Amino acid sequence: MVYGFDNIQPSANLTWTACFDAFDCSRLEVPLDYSNISLGTTSIAFIKLAGKSATVGSPSIVLNPGGPGASGVDLLLTYRNLIGQMFGEEYNFVSFDPRGVNNSGLHLDCFSKDTKARSTFYRLHRTGATNISSTSLEEQYYSSSIYGESCNNAVENNSPHSYYVTTPAVAHDLLTFTEAEAAMAGRSPSNAKLWCYSISYGTIIGSTFASMFPDRVGRMILDGVLNAEQYYNNDWTDNVDQMDEAVETFSTFCHSAGPEKCSFWGPTSANITARMNSIIRQLQIHPVPLSGVGDPDLLTMVTYSDLKSLFLNTLYAPLARFPSMADILHQADRGNFSALAGMYDQSNAITDARLAITCADSYRRNRLITIEQFKAWAEYAVLKSQYIGDIYPTYLEGILCRSFRPQLPDSLVVQEEISALNIPTSFPILFASNIIDPITPLQSARKMSSRFAGSVLLMQEAVGHTVIDQGASDCYFEHIQAYLRGTVPSSNTTCPQQYIPFIDSSPL
């Protein structure tokens, strides 16, 4: 029994080792570049949990993690007690850390362990909302080159293949896993098919796999769907489409729940919205100085960017986070802003793994390079979303890609549109979306479904990012389980809302 991957030897034959009490772990050896195997190999960390009724020959459902940069190993460990109820106990459940992430190979440290240089960059670059000052956008743009140049230097001097972490390579790694698993069970590797449930960025992994290997799709559910074309172009315009719609549901749900459930309650939804807007305007005009928050020697400032970060973080999971947002706004309404202290700093989403993957994927097609392009993107985001638009560019950080120089072979780069129209997938893809998803909006799911022949869209009446992370519903999981057994739902089937913010707690 092991509780980590350090003591597991990489193998090309998918050798499983008992781990984390109820799981099996493996480090699968894969080529750095499938078109040039002489370059050598790296290893991918896989973890497996057997369903209560599963056998060695049962299909494995691979959970494709979000991010980029999120750990699938952590994801499966998190869902360990629920996943059988969600999908059925007759399956094996597998997840993995993609290239460059956590327990898998090709790590990149852009500042080469120089924590002072990293913190100096953060201080220069993370100036808050793009419109917080007359120079904020320009400072973010010009300082962004430091990050890419630092990553390039680290790759050149310390880790020559650390940009070989692109999503097409990850998709090929999944095919390698699928074939290795088939061989281990005595089945033909050439006929092996991938079964997967993908969330957020994981839908890019899934759709890329389906585009590259349409005849290898066994079952594929894509939940919280990113527009692949925009992802690979570093042109994330769809993402701001439903942000304000999601924020506005806060007032509706709060009012409906009543004062005992929502501490920021008001006699009408409009009253709640007006008071929230008043707090926004107050912090927009002047920040609030604080002293002694958690530390008597600490002096800090609560800013407009802190409040906007609260909104963005909350929108990922309204069912779980709307109540705490109400509490924070209730305190602010009474002049106490201490719960907002440090909110922006804590929301720093810059990680080397995330940016290495994102920027390597978009390098040849990047549409966010010049300051004019960055300004246009920021202005578009603000136009589409008054609540999130000005903070989202500093969270998404696509501008950091402008100085990356991956120098990748063609085999690791997307060459064509992500689609399967002329050669349909071997089983129809099931796209899934909440009616209101503030991060990967419903229109992205519709667009992506239109690119895959025979695919269908399953919708859930809910607000938040990905269906599964909002608890979904019994209706939703009934359709998912039927799909896994071979029954494809009618397109645009919609499941009624089962869990209501402020009323119900998250089942996760």
Side-chain angles (χ1 to χ4, degrees), residues 5-6 45 69-74 96-107 353:
F5 286 82
D6 290 344
S71 165
V73 171
D74 291 348
F96 68 108
D97 290 346
R99 295 177 175 217
V101 177
N102 278 27
N103 302 290
S104 293
L106 301 180
H107 290 156

Side-chain angles (χ1 to χ4, degrees), residues 128-130 140 226 236-241 243 308 312 316 354 374 377 381-382 385 387-398 438-441:
T130 53
Q140 288 169 25
L226 272 168
W236 303 59
T237 47
D238 272 8
N239 295 61
V240 291
D241 184 64
M243 287 180 170
K308 289 303 186 82
L312 177 56
Y316 273 82
R354 177 187 178 190
F374 184 46
W377 151 234
V382 171
S385 172
Y387 290 109
I388 310 295
D390 52 3
I391 200 70
Y392 193 56
T394 74
Y395 175 82
L396 192 60
E397 291 292 12
I439 307 301
T440 54

Side-chain angles (χ1 to χ4, degrees), residues 220-425:
M220 182 173 287
I221 304 152
L222 305 183
D223 173 10
V225 185
L226 272 168
N227 184 323
E229 180 182 5
Q230 292 182 6
Y231 168 79
Y232 282 113
N233 290 343
N234 198 20
D235 176 29
W236 303 59
T237 47
D238 272 8
N239 295 61
V240 291
D241 184 64
Q242 289 190 299
M243 287 180 170
D244 280 5
E245 193 177 354
V247 174
E248 287 157 6
T249 67
F250 169 80
S251 299
T252 305
F253 284 124
C254 176
H255 175 68
S256 297
E260 292 185 359
K261 294 284 188 179
C262 179
S263 57
F264 198 61
W265 186 85
T268 64
S269 297
N271 170 270
I272 296 169
T273 300
R275 285 159 46 228
M276 182 169 66
N277 290 341
S278 177
I279 296 169
I280 294 172
R281 287 193 298 272
Q282 182 179 348
L283 283 173
Q284 197 168 22
I285 294 169
H286 62 80
V288 176
L290 295 177
S291 60
V293 178
D295 181 343
D297 298 323
L298 179 65
L299 300 175
T300 189
M301 216 54 118
V302 173
T303 67
Y304 172 80
S305 297
D306 289 321
L307 181 61
K308 289 303 186 82
S309 296
L310 169 68
F311 293 154
L312 177 56
N313 294 338
T314 298
L315 288 190
Y316 273 82
L319 185 65
R321 299 177 188 174
F322 267 179
S324 60
M325 176 169 140
D327 293 342
I328 293 170
L329 292 177
H330 175 63
Q331 294 169 25
D333 204 24
R334 296 186 170 197
N336 179 2
F337 292 85
S338 59
L340 283 167
M343 192 74 72
Y344 173 69
D345 290 337
Q346 294 162 17
S347 69
N348 182 5
I350 299 173
T351 69
D352 295 343
R354 177 187 178 190
L355 271 298
I357 296 166
T358 304
C359 299
D361 272 340
S362 63
Y363 170 57
R364 296 190 189 179
R365 299 162 57 162
N366 191 358
R367 295 184 182 177
L368 195 61
I369 296 175
T370 68
I371 191 167
E372 291 80 14
Q373 290 169 327
F374 184 46
K375 185 176 181 181
W377 151 234
E379 288 175 347
Y380 176 82
V382 171
L383 179 67
K384 293 291 289 186
S385 172
Q386 63 170 321
Y387 290 109
I388 310 295
D390 52 3
I391 200 70
Y392 193 56
T394 74
Y395 175 82
L396 192 60
E397 291 292 12
I399 194 59
L400 295 182
C401 292
R402 74 183 185 94
S403 297
F404 274 68
R405 300 289 181 269
Q407 306 299 326
L408 295 167
D410 289 348
S411 57
L412 270 70
V413 179
V414 167
Q415 303 290 329
E416 299 174 352
E417 183 184 75
I418 300 298
S419 65
L421 291 172
N422 297 327
I423 306 175
T425 54

